[in-house]
Amino acid sequence: STVCGCCPALQQLDLTGCRGVSACGLQRVVRSCCDLGELLLSECPAVTDKTVPVIFRYHSPPHIRSLSVRSCVLHDTGLACLASYCPTLQKLDVRCCGLLTATGFEALTQRVPSLRLFAGGRCIGLDDAALACVARIHRVRVVRQRAVEHAVCARCDRDAVALDGARVDVKRAVQRGLGDVASRHLVRQPVPGP
């Protein structure tokens, strides 16, 4: 609440690893700081399936464009709820959220059409079906980091999906998810790390 009162024009907030932050405190920040465009909540135990509605319920109008919930305990229901409350997200980092599956990613693609950068590395449940869901979003480039394979959609070379360490057959998933991306778009070159 101190942050909300002193900095109502706050644009970026990094609470990575903050263990003393509560869901109610995060709700006040999201509700009060209407210029907040980037929120980093990685490794924050206050972010769970049950607290996502508490934190983002009053996020109106939606203003957060970049959100990191890396290493938070989220299931598909939490990701779907997050997508419902944050439909204007352009960047989402769910790396190391190992409980997510294709069901959550399907909800994400249906509710967040503005998504441009997606980091899903080390998500054990991120498989070909989940990647195909993400690849359906218009203007998304799919990248498999720390590998040499990546598929590029010519109409969206500024945007990316980071899949660091995920078990994904990129070529097959992209062909399923993006009908206009053929195997000729697959290139072999080193992809820089995050």
Side-chain angles (χ1 to χ4, degrees), residues 17 67 71 104 113 123 128 131 147-148 167 176:
L67 178 65
S71 298
C123 283
D128 291 349
L131 178 59
V148 292
R167 299 179 325 221
R176 284 186 200 156

Short mmCIF file of all heavy atoms in Angstrom, two decimals, residues 17 67 71 104 113 123 128 131 147-148 167 176:
data_model
loop_
_atom_site.label_atom_id
_atom_site.label_comp_id
_atom_site.label_asym_id
_atom_site.label_seq_id
_atom_site.Cartn_x
_atom_site.Cartn_y
_atom_site.Cartn_z
N GLY A 17 10.97 -12.89 -6.32
CA GLY A 17 11.45 -13.54 -5.12
C GLY A 17 10.98 -12.94 -3.81
O GLY A 17 11.44 -13.36 -2.75
N LEU A 67 4.13 -9.43 -18.16
CA LEU A 67 3.96 -10.10 -16.87
C LEU A 67 4.87 -11.31 -16.79
O LEU A 67 4.92 -12.11 -17.72
CB LEU A 67 2.50 -10.53 -16.70
CG LEU A 67 2.14 -11.29 -15.42
CD1 LEU A 67 2.33 -10.40 -14.19
CD2 LEU A 67 0.72 -11.79 -15.50
N SER A 71 8.35 -19.55 -12.33
CA SER A 71 8.54 -20.36 -11.11
C SER A 71 7.43 -20.17 -10.08
O SER A 71 7.63 -20.42 -8.89
CB SER A 71 9.90 -20.07 -10.46
OG SER A 71 10.95 -20.42 -11.34
N GLY A 104 -4.22 -25.12 -20.63
CA GLY A 104 -3.97 -23.74 -20.21
C GLY A 104 -3.51 -22.87 -21.36
O GLY A 104 -3.92 -21.72 -21.49
N PRO A 113 -5.14 -12.37 -27.57
CA PRO A 113 -4.70 -12.31 -28.98
C PRO A 113 -3.55 -11.33 -29.20
O PRO A 113 -2.89 -11.37 -30.23
CB PRO A 113 -5.95 -11.87 -29.73
CG PRO A 113 -6.74 -11.11 -28.71
CD PRO A 113 -6.47 -11.79 -27.39
N CYS A 123 8.89 -25.76 -18.83
CA CYS A 123 7.52 -26.16 -18.50
C CYS A 123 7.38 -27.61 -18.94
O CYS A 123 7.31 -27.89 -20.14
CB CYS A 123 6.49 -25.29 -19.22
SG CYS A 123 6.27 -23.66 -18.51
N ASP A 128 4.01 -30.67 -27.91
CA ASP A 128 3.66 -30.24 -29.26
C ASP A 128 2.28 -29.60 -29.33
O ASP A 128 2.09 -28.59 -30.00
CB ASP A 128 3.72 -31.43 -30.23
CG ASP A 128 5.13 -31.92 -30.47
OD1 ASP A 128 6.08 -31.23 -30.05
OD2 ASP A 128 5.28 -33.00 -31.06
N LEU A 131 2.45 -26.09 -27.79
CA LEU A 131 3.16 -25.19 -28.67
C LEU A 131 2.30 -24.82 -29.87
O LEU A 131 2.29 -23.66 -30.31
CB LEU A 131 4.48 -25.81 -29.14
CG LEU A 131 5.29 -24.96 -30.11
CD1 LEU A 131 5.64 -23.62 -29.48
CD2 LEU A 131 6.54 -25.69 -30.53
N ALA A 147 19.12 -23.98 -28.86
CA ALA A 147 19.11 -25.04 -29.86
C ALA A 147 19.40 -24.39 -31.19
O ALA A 147 19.59 -23.19 -31.26
CB ALA A 147 17.74 -25.74 -29.88
N VAL A 148 19.41 -25.17 -32.24
CA VAL A 148 19.69 -24.57 -33.53
C VAL A 148 18.46 -24.50 -34.40
O VAL A 148 18.50 -23.92 -35.48
CB VAL A 148 20.82 -25.32 -34.27
CG1 VAL A 148 22.12 -25.13 -33.56
CG2 VAL A 148 20.48 -26.79 -34.43
N ARG A 167 10.28 -29.81 -24.14
CA ARG A 167 10.31 -30.98 -25.02
C ARG A 167 9.33 -30.75 -26.15
O ARG A 167 8.16 -31.08 -26.03
CB ARG A 167 9.89 -32.22 -24.24
CG ARG A 167 10.77 -32.57 -23.09
CD ARG A 167 10.21 -33.79 -22.40
NE ARG A 167 8.77 -33.79 -22.45
CZ ARG A 167 7.99 -34.14 -21.46
NH1 ARG A 167 8.48 -34.51 -20.34
NH2 ARG A 167 6.69 -34.13 -21.59
N ARG A 176 1.44 -27.72 -37.60
CA ARG A 176 0.06 -27.91 -37.14
C ARG A 176 -0.60 -26.59 -36.75
O ARG A 176 -1.75 -26.35 -37.02
CB ARG A 176 0.03 -28.82 -35.92
CG ARG A 176 0.23 -30.25 -36.21
CD ARG A 176 0.03 -31.02 -34.92
NE ARG A 176 0.66 -32.31 -35.02
CZ ARG A 176 1.06 -33.01 -34.00
NH1 ARG A 176 0.92 -32.54 -32.78
NH2 ARG A 176 1.61 -34.18 -34.16
#
